[in-house]
Amino acid sequence: MAGNISAQYMITNDIKRQEPKTMQLILISVALIFFVLILIIPLVAVFVKAFEQGAGLYVFSISDPIALQAIKLTLITIGFAVVINTVFGLTVAWAVAKFKFKGKNLFVTFLDLPFAISPIIAGMIFILLFSTTHGLLAPLLNAFDLQVMFAPAGIILVTLFVTMPFIARELIPLMEAQGTVEEEAALSLGASGWKTFLLITLPNIKWALLYGVILTAARAAGEFGAVSVVSGHIRGLTNTLPLHVEILYNEYQFSAAFAVSSLLTIIAIINLVVKNIADWRIKKQENRS
Amino acid sequence: MPSKLLKIRQHSVIPGFGITMGFSLLYLSLMVLIPVSMVFLNSSSIGMTAFWETVSSERVLASLKISFATSFAAAAINVIFGVLFAWVLVRYSFPGRKLIDGLIDLPFALPTAVAGISLTTLYAENGWIGKVFAPLGIKIAYTPLGIIIALIFISFPFVVRTVQPVLESMDIEAEEAASCLGASKLQTFYKVILPTLLPAIITGFALAFARALGEYGSVVFISGNMPMYTEITPLLIRAKLEQYDYAGATAIAAVMLVISFTMLLFINVLQWWAGNRDRSV
Amino acid sequence: MSIEVTNVNKAFGSFKALNHIDLKISTGELVALLGPSGSGKTTLLRIIAGLETADAGSIIFDGEDNTEKSTQDRKVGFVFQHYALFRHMTVFENIAFGLKVRPSKLRPSKEAINGKVRELLSLVKMEELAQRYPAQLSGGQRQRIALARALAVEPKVLLLDEPFGALDAKVRKDLRRWLRKLHDEYPITSVFVTHDQEEALDVADRIVILNQGKIEQMGTPEEVYDNPVNPFVYNFLGNVNLFHGRVHNGKVEIGSLKLDIPEHAKKDNKEIVSYSRPHDIEISVEDEGKGFIPAEILFIRALGPVVNLELKRTDSGDYLEAEISKERFKELELHEKQKVYLRPKDFRVFIPEDYVI
């Protein structure tokens, strides 16, 4: 009902309170020019440059064994990041959103830390822990002959770090807004805690969760700074797609670099599409209640 | 249920607090708190003089200056265009509005390395855009200007996305009341709309600034990495790490972390304050 | 099933929500917990349901201590204030939920569940809306679905939190008649929370009046309405006129009026407050001597069969309200600004120092 009222408001106000048409046109034009220059041209350039030397080179660039290895490592990293962060995100969102406890604000601030830290520092802190020469855990690692840094394990570890807040951040506000009353109703009808979560909570947050997963996957695929610090750039072993792009670019294989970039760009565009669908679904769900 | 826990949280029939909170704390400690504290642990072991020498060296100071100046410039430009975008998207209807709204988040979704090589190619002297400016004697790529362009790109969505919801939920009646009381459009904007948006604008600015300070992936390509000229602090840390100068890298990182934490705290306090202000009204 | 609440305490931080609550509800009763907001009524209901834990005291169902039992094990039906329907489930799925989540050993067959849901849908007269989602229903319909969902698990106790609170006046009245009828047909022990005295008086077998975490009075609607035990209850159940006066030799003096009050015979020369309902005020056009208070009619509202008069005492300047029948009104030919004389036919006297409102 409230939605209807505000919709009516919008209509009447669209007429009354708007700036003159010319002013509107100027503002919209300025925004559009900025938008094209800063966002659209770089996006288009990726695809144009990728095909500049023909489709043959494009296909060759993305099917070359080293590129395929980078794709494989990227996919593995995405897999770890999505699975572990989904578990963590659901757990932390449950604890934060469904309960009141002291120190909640501080706790949520700590949750945001990975967003506030430069990716370079994110990579560096794991070197300080796991480097076999300088790391805090060096004696332990050497005793068991384990290599974490400059190995796929290190890449996965730093990716987990930088993608940690995404799912939790999507879930917490939504779950807080939804409150606990549906869960209470389910419990009063005899449902167990686990069934309440599966049958009531999860369906209510599925779109936000999906969006969080997409964000996590996109960031895991695209993370550059942190991964670059811990990877060691061993071709065919510790290169992810963005690192592969860097190597190609620095070797002046521009078309190949853009070809691989176009793969990452497609992932980014899929991410945006899913985000908009999820947003729309969440809004629809909120309007229903 | 141990009585100690009961004091920390209010009782609730919803199950699972102990296990979810326990797991979250454990994971957060292992993955975030311990690794991050390594920076302070290591930098405190360097010793005060060595620490000071590192962070006050000419090259480090120059990098901090460049980082702050370019990040500030980018965030400030994004405030202007961010508010403009939020305004245009919320208040006007024009063809393609939905599409633009959907594409605003592109910089969050696009890997920074891709943004970096794409922007560098475009803004280099022989690039599509660089070509236009080169005859005027303006070099963009491999100058601080290029860094600003990259930082504008990567931090663009913050201000739009913090201001947009506030503008959407803004009480129309306040504006109507202002115009009924005889305020002009411009007066209404400065005296009614802007103060309402201010917390969101500051939050957006702080988020964009913090993000820009830490950015590495896009800048590494477009800056050219010339010490004292286009070397930002994260690049310098990276360079030190590659030379296995872990002590030096850690010292600089400690300075950056303190700045990041302060910003994070500031943003949280600001949001808490803005939230309280809205509630008390 | 009978419910027994013994010596229950509950505090939220420094706020005492419930203070030594004792309450017995017999099998099949329909009881209203009535009180202003913050009186602890919802907290008490939630403690009975196991949605909240008491700091002290016990909850006993049919002689069996349920204090430590979880909400799932108490087998109560709870109807939430804003219904708490599962928004991603249809009406049918909502009602079936409680049966479907039972452990497989106790779960009825699919056909049995379907049968039960259909039976409940017809009980709440919503058969044709089974496939709708909660968002597509009106407030009254959602309320009935919430009730059907709670009844599906065949609870021994039905608990309703402000069941009509979020509905508009017309629907509210229909629904409370319907609830009363339902309870007469299926006499399951029911407790509902309300802040609306009319609703409580209209529907409940027995009313429990709460204020600031304490029970002020319990009794049938007639008992509590006709014999309020203290000024709070008097005030809370309907409109009331206040007369300040003094007690003297077993008589109360209000202005020039002297009335017998045997229950306060022993008290002497004390300030008193006397309460009288508007319909207990007698009006006369002529001064009939002692015992009548002079007043002026300020305003007349003559809608419907009852006429409301707003009056101002000419002796003390206090404002009063009176209700008389239309016939009486016509008989007296009253008009605004007219001088009249009035007398409380029925009243109760409280000595303020005994009660703090």
Side-chain angles (χ1 to χ4, degrees), chain B residues 218-231:
Chain B
S218 57
V219 178
V220 70
F221 295 102
I222 204 165
S223 76
N225 311 335
M226 286 159 274
M228 313 295 294
Y229 179 51
T230 57
E231 188 179 55

Side-chain angles (χ1 to χ4, degrees), chain C residues 43-317:
Chain C
T43 307
L44 178 57
L45 194 77
R46 288 173 64 88
I47 288 175
I48 296 173
L51 290 168
E52 209 89 63
T53 24
D55 298 339
S58 39
I59 305 293
I60 294 151
F61 287 170
D62 266 347
E64 191 196 338
D65 193 335
N66 269 250
T67 316
E68 296 298 320
K69 273 196 183 174
S70 72
T71 221
Q72 290 104 313
D73 299 330
R74 290 199 192 186
K75 309 232 175 330
V76 297
F78 198 97
V79 178
F80 291 81
Q81 187 176 2
H82 300 287
Y83 326 126
L85 294 178
F86 306 132
R87 64 194 116 183
H88 61 286
M89 295 183 190
T90 61
V91 162
F92 191 96
E93 290 165 336
N94 260 286
I95 299 175
F97 182 86
L99 298 170
K100 277 191 184 159
V101 295
R102 286 193 182 161
S104 52
K105 268 182 279 172
L106 302 169
R107 194 185 308 148
S109 70
K110 212 172 169 196
E111 293 73 44
I113 293 179
N114 288 351
K116 182 82 199 171
V117 174
R118 254 178 258 121
E119 182 193 322
L120 283 160
L121 279 169
S122 82
L123 180 74
V124 298
K125 301 193 175 56
M126 288 189 54
E127 295 99 322
E128 68 282 10
L129 299 177
Q131 293 313 315
R132 293 268 187 99
Y133 283 92
Q136 300 164 314
L137 303 176
S138 71
Q141 289 170 331
R142 286 184 210 180
Q143 180 58 274
R144 282 185 282 160
I145 295 306
L147 197 61
R149 183 179 71 178
L151 290 172
V153 292
E154 295 178 357
K156 296 281 165 31
V157 175
L158 186 61
L159 305 170
L160 307 104
D161 186 6
E162 296 271 6
F164 316 114
L167 302 169
D168 52 57
K170 174 82 176 75
V171 181
R172 211 168 160 136
K173 226 159 198 167
D174 289 350
L175 214 54
R176 78 188 190 214
R177 292 278 163 210
W178 179 79
L179 179 71
R180 180 69 240 182
K181 228 179 93 209
L182 187 80
H183 186 263
D184 292 341
E185 283 166 35
Y186 302 88
I188 153 175
T189 313
S190 305
V191 183
F192 74 100
V193 156
T194 180
H195 62 268
D196 181 343
Q197 36 96 9
E198 201 188 313
E199 199 166 284
L201 294 168
D202 199 21
V203 179
D205 293 327
R206 209 145 60 88
I207 297 177
V208 177
I209 296 158
L210 284 142
N211 182 35
Q212 294 180 347
K214 279 188 191 150
I215 293 179
E216 299 278 358
Q217 191 172 5
M218 282 187 266
T220 64
E222 294 75 35
E223 276 165 18
V224 293
Y225 189 79
D226 294 337
N227 293 304
V229 293
N230 60 31
F232 173 80
V233 178
Y234 224 123
N235 262 313
F236 199 67
L237 296 175
N239 288 339
V240 75
N241 289 308
L242 256 79
F243 297 94
H244 293 275
R246 298 186 83 76
V247 131
H248 251 314
N249 300 326
K251 277 184 192 300
V252 62
E253 292 171 12
I254 301 164
S256 58
L257 180 75
K258 283 204 174 103
L259 297 156
D260 286 327
I261 41 159
E263 70 266 36
H264 292 298
K266 281 178 211 141
K267 306 222 165 88
D268 206 20
N269 202 18
K270 285 218 161 131
E271 299 271 345
I272 58 107
V273 182
S274 161
Y275 287 80
S276 189
R277 301 245 182 248
H279 54 76
D280 285 329
I281 303 274
E282 194 187 326
I283 301 231
S284 158
V285 216
E286 273 161 44
D287 188 359
E288 302 194 5
K290 277 187 185 170
F292 277 81
I293 300 166
E296 188 193 315
I297 299 179
L298 292 180
F299 182 71
I300 297 171
R301 190 163 55 103
L303 288 174
V306 176
V307 178
N308 287 294
L309 303 174
E310 261 179 49
L311 304 139
K312 187 183 179 185
R313 278 172 65 177
T314 40
D315 55 347
S316 67

Side-chain angles (χ1 to χ4, degrees), chain A residues 5-241:
Chain A
I5 293 164
S6 66
Q8 282 168 9
Y9 258 105
M10 290 295 264
I11 294 163
T12 51
N13 277 285
D14 270 352
I15 303 160
K16 270 176 77 179
R17 66 172 171 164
Q18 281 199 345
E19 290 72 41
K21 272 268 173 260
T22 43
M23 182 70 183
Q24 280 190 43
L25 218 61
I26 293 168
L27 291 177
I28 293 171
S29 309
V30 172
L32 281 179
I33 291 167
F34 181 86
F35 188 73
V36 169
L37 273 180
I38 292 291
L39 289 160
I40 297 299
I41 293 184
L43 186 67
V44 174
V46 171
F47 291 97
V48 173
K49 296 277 171 194
F51 286 99
E52 218 169 37
Q53 318 253 334
L57 185 69
Y58 182 87
V59 174
F60 176 78
S61 306
I62 60 173
S63 59
D64 147 90
I66 295 174
L68 287 178
Q69 174 279 325
I71 292 173
K72 194 176 138 203
L73 181 57
T74 301
L75 289 176
I76 291 171
T77 310
I78 291 175
F80 272 97
V82 163
V83 170
I84 294 175
N85 282 317
T86 300
V87 174
F88 171 71
L90 284 170
T91 330
V92 82
W94 184 267
V96 168
K98 299 286 178 189
F99 299 92
K100 285 181 185 152
F101 56 91
K102 283 178 193 161
K104 195 192 249 191
N105 284 341
L106 189 73
F107 185 76
V108 175
T109 305
F110 277 126
L111 207 59
D112 278 346
L113 264 186
F115 280 170
I117 289 177
S118 172
I120 290 296
I121 298 177
M124 190 191 85
I125 57 180
F126 284 91
I127 288 190
L128 296 179
L129 267 178
F130 291 103
S131 152
T132 46
T133 51
H134 294 71
L136 186 73
L137 302 175
L140 200 71
L141 294 168
N142 288 328
F144 292 95
D145 199 19
L146 286 172
Q147 182 80 23
V148 178
M149 287 303 104
F150 316 122
I155 290 176
I156 291 165
L157 213 55
V158 295
T159 306
L160 286 178
F161 177 88
V162 296
T163 55
M164 194 199 75
F166 283 107
I167 293 175
R169 284 236 101 183
E170 285 305 312
L171 295 182
I172 289 170
L174 183 68
M175 283 167 75
E176 274 180 342
Q178 286 175 348
T180 55
V181 66
E182 284 189 42
E183 280 80 7
E184 282 179 359
L187 292 169
S188 80
L189 290 167
S192 65
W194 181 240
K195 271 191 176 159
T196 301
F197 171 74
L198 279 185
L199 299 174
I200 305 301
T201 313
L202 206 53
N204 277 336
I205 58 171
K206 63 180 178 218
W207 286 104
L209 178 63
L210 174 71
Y211 180 43
V213 165
I214 293 291
L215 280 176
T216 304
R219 184 70 197 268
E223 178 51 34
F224 178 69
V227 169
S228 129
V229 171
V230 300
S231 123
H233 304 278
I234 307 163
R235 271 198 196 200
L237 184 63
T238 61
N239 263 352
T240 59
L241 280 175

Side-chain angles (χ1 to χ4, degrees), chain A residues 9-10 13-14 16-19 23-24 27-28 30-32 34-35 37-46 48-49 84-85 87-88 91-92 94-95 98-102 105 107 109-114 116-121 124-129 131 133-134 136 150 157 160-161 164 180 183-184 187 193 211 218 221-222 224-225 228-229 233 242 245-246 249-250 257-258 261 264-265 268-269 271-272 275-276 283, chain B residues 7-10 12-17 19-21 23-25 27-28 31-36 38-39 41-42 77-78 81 84-85 87-88 90-94 99-114 117-123 128-129 142 149 152-153 156 161 168 172-173 175-176 185 210 213-217 220-221 234 237-238 241-242 244 246 249-250 253 256-257 260-261 264 268 272:
Chain A
Y9 258 105
M10 290 295 264
N13 277 285
D14 270 352
K16 270 176 77 179
R17 66 172 171 164
Q18 281 199 345
E19 290 72 41
M23 182 70 183
Q24 280 190 43
L27 291 177
I28 293 171
V30 172
L32 281 179
F34 181 86
F35 188 73
L37 273 180
I38 292 291
L39 289 160
I40 297 299
I41 293 184
L43 186 67
V44 174
V46 171
V48 173
K49 296 277 171 194
I84 294 175
N85 282 317
V87 174
F88 171 71
T91 330
V92 82
W94 184 267
K98 299 286 178 189
F99 299 92
K100 285 181 185 152
F101 56 91
K102 283 178 193 161
N105 284 341
F107 185 76
T109 305
F110 277 126
L111 207 59
D112 278 346
L113 264 186
I117 289 177
S118 172
I120 290 296
I121 298 177
M124 190 191 85
I125 57 180
F126 284 91
I127 288 190
L128 296 179
L129 267 178
S131 152
T133 51
H134 294 71
L136 186 73
F150 316 122
L157 213 55
L160 286 178
F161 177 88
M164 194 199 75
T180 55
E183 280 80 7
E184 282 179 359
L187 292 169
Y211 180 43
F224 178 69
S228 129
V229 171
H233 304 278
V245 168
E246 185 194 21
Y249 186 85
N250 287 342
F258 278 105
S261 290
L264 288 164
T265 309
I269 291 171
N271 169 5
L272 287 181
K275 175 204 149 62
N276 281 294
K283 240 177 218 163
Chain B
K7 273 183 211 156
I8 296 170
R9 75 176 175 107
Q10 282 177 22
S12 156
V13 283
I14 307 289
F17 180 75
I19 186 160
T20 54
M21 193 68 203
F23 174 76
S24 303
L25 273 177
Y27 187 81
L28 206 61
M31 281 300 293
V32 179
L33 297 184
I34 294 175
V36 170
M38 285 305 294
V39 172
L41 203 73
N42 276 40
I77 291 169
N78 276 335
F81 282 95
L84 174 70
F85 264 82
W87 183 268
V88 165
V90 172
R91 295 282 170 112
Y92 305 153
S93 64
F94 54 93
L99 186 73
I100 292 176
D101 196 12
L103 278 171
I104 293 279
D105 289 320
L106 179 74
F108 287 169
L110 196 70
T112 51
V114 176
I117 65 165
S118 184
L119 289 170
T120 310
T121 310
L122 287 172
Y123 286 91
W128 297 351
I129 300 173
Y142 316 119
I149 295 280
I152 290 175
F153 179 88
F156 174 65
R161 290 306 189 216
E168 263 166 10
I172 291 152
E173 287 179 359
E175 264 173 78
E176 287 176 339
K185 285 258 179 245
L213 265 187
E215 175 59 15
Y216 170 79
V220 70
F221 295 102
I237 297 174
R238 181 71 222 271
L241 282 175
E242 283 192 330
Y244 298 100
Y246 287 170
T250 319
M256 282 208 76
L257 269 187
S260 300
F261 291 168
L264 188 66
N268 276 298
W272 174 82

